[in-house]
Amino acid sequence: MRRMQIEVLELPLARPFAISRGTRTAVTVIRVTLEQNGFIGRGECTPTPRYDETPESVNAELDALRADIEAGLSRLDLQSRLSAGSARNALDCALWRLDAALAKHTLWQQCERLQPPSVITAETLSLDSIANMAAAAADAVSRGAILLKIKLNRDEILEKVAAIRQAAPRATLIIDANEAWSGVDLPSLLNALVSFNIAMVEQPLPAGQDQALQRFAHPIPICADESCHTREDIAPLRNRYEMINIKLDKCGGLTEALAMVEEAQKLDMRLMVGCMLGSSLAMEAALPVAIAAEHVDLDGPIWLAADSSPFLTYAQGQIWL
């Protein structure tokens, strides 16, 4: 017999986190703990207002499935019982870890993936003034950051990128517009960004309003984030994007994320793995997917005032395993 526990926790941030949609000083996460025969499996999700999720709605989804989960609902059956989203992610990851514990496996072994010694991850530069973003970039590279992810809106785009490039001349730079570049002359802007050696631009236009991306050649690869949730989304995006960003909270867990890797590789789409703000518990679950990705953005825990077990080690721009 299984037992399920649901916790709703507010995690304060060490510093404000700003993107084009707003600023946060704390993040609310939901953790699921499954216990069976003395073995434990845990999962964490971050309800996201952008996808019409609240902590209350996600908690209700989880609680509604409690009887079936405690009666032994399998991870594969879960895929048809909950739609893609953060509720399914928390349960899916908890079930993966429970299955691993019951089999006396690590999560890597359960996924049939080889664990590397480390994974390079982006360090995010929160949206701020030109001077503050340049200073944040300089601080990040002084601590060994290899990959920087720049959060931007429509304001002072080139000026901010120029200042960051000057502060971090050797770092790989990727940009995340979070759907904010509607009305911007994208061909001209992307051509201007080429001189700063930008590796990728993420979701410049709103999901569902990105048809313009198929009308011109992209001098910089463009990655679908808000436009891509599950494997069914990938094929229709091939004429607009070169890359997709897989996030467990969007796709509904590790099971779907691994399927998305296979689908993307079959369709010759390049891969990024990202995250919502959250603890090491959430990031660790994404690592078996991250090893297949060209860019990894799993820096959620470094924004927290205090992380949670299992504690991942972040140093020199990498997650050390």
Side-chain angles (χ1 to χ4, degrees):
M1 181 72 177
R2 279 197 205 130
R3 298 173 66 181
M4 181 170 79
Q5 179 183 0
I6 304 170
E7 299 175 274
V8 181
L9 302 169
E10 183 171 279
L11 307 181
L13 302 186
R15 58 199 184 281
F17 182 83
I19 67 171
S20 62
R21 286 193 287 268
T23 301
R24 306 180 77 167
T25 57
V27 60
T28 301
V29 303
I30 296 182
R31 291 183 186 150
V32 171
T33 301
L34 302 177
E35 185 274 328
Q36 181 175 330
N37 300 329
F39 293 92
I40 299 291
R42 299 170 67 220
E44 177 182 294
C45 69
T46 302
T48 305
R50 170 63 181 81
Y51 304 125
D52 300 319
E53 295 176 338
T54 66
E56 294 77 15
S57 69
V58 171
N59 190 31
E61 281 188 88
L62 293 169
D63 200 47
L65 210 57
R66 178 187 296 274
D68 290 338
I69 289 292
E70 293 187 339
L73 184 74
S74 73
R75 177 173 49 81
L76 294 180
D77 287 338
L78 173 66
Q79 308 309 305
S80 61
R81 295 294 304 276
L82 283 179
S83 59
S86 60
R88 193 176 78 187
N89 176 34
L91 269 176
D92 184 73
C93 291
L95 285 166
W96 268 102
R97 288 189 172 108
L98 179 61
D99 289 343
L102 289 166
K104 296 182 170 55
H105 287 167
T106 67
L107 183 61
W108 291 91
Q109 291 168 331
Q110 195 70 12
C111 294
E112 299 182 342
R113 298 294 192 272
L114 292 177
Q115 178 178 329
S118 66
V119 174
I120 294 172
T121 183
E123 182 162 337
T124 301
L125 304 179
S126 177
L127 181 64
D128 207 327
S129 67
I130 296 172
N132 287 348
M133 293 186 78
D139 175 64
V141 296
S142 75
R143 292 181 281 100
I146 299 165
L147 172 63
L148 298 179
K149 180 174 179 177
I150 307 169
K151 291 287 189 178
L152 293 173
N153 56 17
R154 291 168 52 98
D155 301 328
E156 302 175 311
I157 295 170
L158 294 176
E159 293 86 350
K160 288 176 178 176
V161 172
I164 290 165
R165 174 51 80 198
Q166 184 174 7
R170 290 179 293 279
T172 299
L173 300 183
I174 58 179
I175 290 172
D176 187 2
N178 286 116
E179 306 180 281
W181 288 358
S182 293
V184 171
D185 182 349
L186 281 179
S188 296
L189 176 58
L190 292 173
N191 281 320
L193 288 170
V194 168
S195 64
F196 300 108
N197 194 23
I198 303 301
M200 180 270 286
V201 172
E202 189 178 348
Q203 198 70 43
L205 299 176
Q209 301 176 38
D210 52 6
Q211 298 87 347
L213 295 176
Q214 67 192 59
R215 298 177 192 149
F216 64 94
H218 304 162
I220 299 171
I222 300 180
C223 179
D225 180 6
E226 287 88 347
S227 290
C228 187
H229 288 240
T230 66
R231 76 190 94 167
E232 286 77 17
D233 297 325
I234 299 174
L237 296 174
R238 283 187 297 167
N239 61 354
R240 302 176 193 182
Y241 298 91
E242 288 74 36
M243 185 177 292
I244 61 165
N245 187 354
I246 299 174
K247 292 179 179 175
L248 301 194
D249 273 323
K250 282 191 307 176
C251 72
L254 182 54
T255 301
E256 178 63 20
L258 292 169
M260 290 181 74
V261 170
E262 291 185 10
E263 181 71 5
Q265 290 173 338
K266 183 175 70 176
L267 297 172
D268 293 322
M269 290 286 278
R270 296 156 66 181
L271 289 170
M272 175 181 181
V273 168
C275 66
M276 309 302 182
L277 290 170
S279 78
S280 286
L281 178 63
M283 305 305 126
E284 187 204 39
L287 287 171
V289 186
I291 59 171
E294 185 174 335
H295 299 303
V296 175
D297 173 28
L298 294 176
D299 68 339
I302 71 173
W303 286 89
L304 300 180
D307 195 7
S308 302
S309 176
F311 298 102
L312 294 174
T313 299
Y314 287 80
Q316 298 297 309
Q318 301 182 64
I319 304 171
W320 296 90
L321 306 174

